[in-house]
């Protein structure tokens, strides 16, 4: 199995209960905690962002005329600590004259093969479900 280079980052305490996180090779930062986003909410956005990237790329490779994409995500967490997600649902809104079967296939490939963030959530035991709609101009 091929190994990739390690990803390195840093989280620094800024003030009160606010932290700034950066990945070494990236140009952006994220504010975590008060006045920013919670790490668990960021995890949900990471799953949505990961699969959105996949679906756009796959549909473009299929030469489907995708014009836009929105991925809504919701998650339910356990009551006990650690309060990990137990259920996650994604709803894909695909814009353009995209064939339903191609849209479904792109989502399946993302969820079953390519989306590493979603795989992490699934490995923690969460049930990950999805739905989609194609919205034509």
């Amino acid at each position: 199995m091929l190994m990739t280079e390690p990803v390195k980052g840093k989280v620094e305490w800024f003030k009160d209960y606010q932290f700034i996180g950066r990945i070494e090779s990236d140009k952006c930062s994220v504010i975590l905690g008060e006045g920013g986003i919670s790490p668990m909410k960021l995890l949900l956005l990471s799953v949505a962002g990961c699969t959105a990237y996949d679906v756009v790329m796959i549909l473009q490779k299929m030469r489907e005329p995708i014009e836009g994409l929105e991925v809504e995500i919701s998650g339910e967490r356990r009551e006990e600590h650690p309060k990990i997600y137990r259920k996650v649902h994604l709803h894909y809104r695909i814009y353009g004259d995209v064939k339903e079967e191609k849209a479904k296939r792109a989502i399946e490939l993302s969820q079953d093969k390519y989306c590493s963030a979603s795989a992490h959530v699934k490995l923690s035991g969460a049930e990950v479900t999805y739905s989609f709609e194609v919205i034509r101009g």
Side-chain angles (χ1 to χ4, degrees):
M1 180 179 295
L2 294 174
M3 300 298 288
T4 60
E5 288 292 316
V7 175
K8 296 179 181 180
K10 178 169 51 173
V11 172
E12 290 181 72
W13 179 32
F14 180 62
K15 65 179 181 179
D16 301 323
Y17 295 103
Q18 200 172 71
F19 304 83
I20 298 175
R22 292 181 192 88
I23 295 296
E24 207 171 75
S25 60
D26 292 350
K27 293 180 179 153
C28 64
S29 301
V30 64
I31 297 173
L32 301 162
E34 289 180 4
I37 190 167
S38 81
M40 290 301 286
K41 289 177 183 174
L42 186 58
L43 177 59
L44 272 188
L45 285 181
S46 296
V47 171
C50 180
T51 188
Y53 181 93
D54 291 342
V55 169
V56 167
M57 183 186 66
I58 292 165
L59 287 173
Q60 286 178 337
K61 284 187 176 183
M62 290 177 172
R63 301 194 192 291
E64 287 295 306
I66 183 169
E67 296 172 6
L69 174 69
E70 296 172 358
V71 180
E72 293 178 355
I73 190 164
S74 60
E76 294 176 25
R77 293 171 64 185
R78 299 186 327 182
E79 291 292 322
E80 66 276 2
H81 289 281
K83 295 182 180 184
I84 61 174
Y85 288 105
R86 55 185 199 85
K87 287 186 179 180
V88 172
H89 183 76
L90 298 129
H91 181 73
Y92 299 79
R93 207 170 274 112
I94 300 168
Y95 294 89
D97 196 23
V98 175
K99 294 180 186 81
E100 300 270 332
E101 66 273 5
K102 299 281 189 171
K104 184 174 191 281
R105 181 67 180 141
I107 293 166
E108 286 171 347
L109 281 168
S110 175
Q111 285 300 311
D112 297 340
K113 184 174 182 178
Y114 294 113
C115 182
S116 302
S118 189
H120 269 283
V121 171
K122 289 174 187 172
L123 285 170
S124 74
E127 174 190 359
V128 177
T129 58
Y130 63 86
S131 56
F132 74 95
E133 60 186 307
V134 176
I135 300 167
R136 293 175 174 86

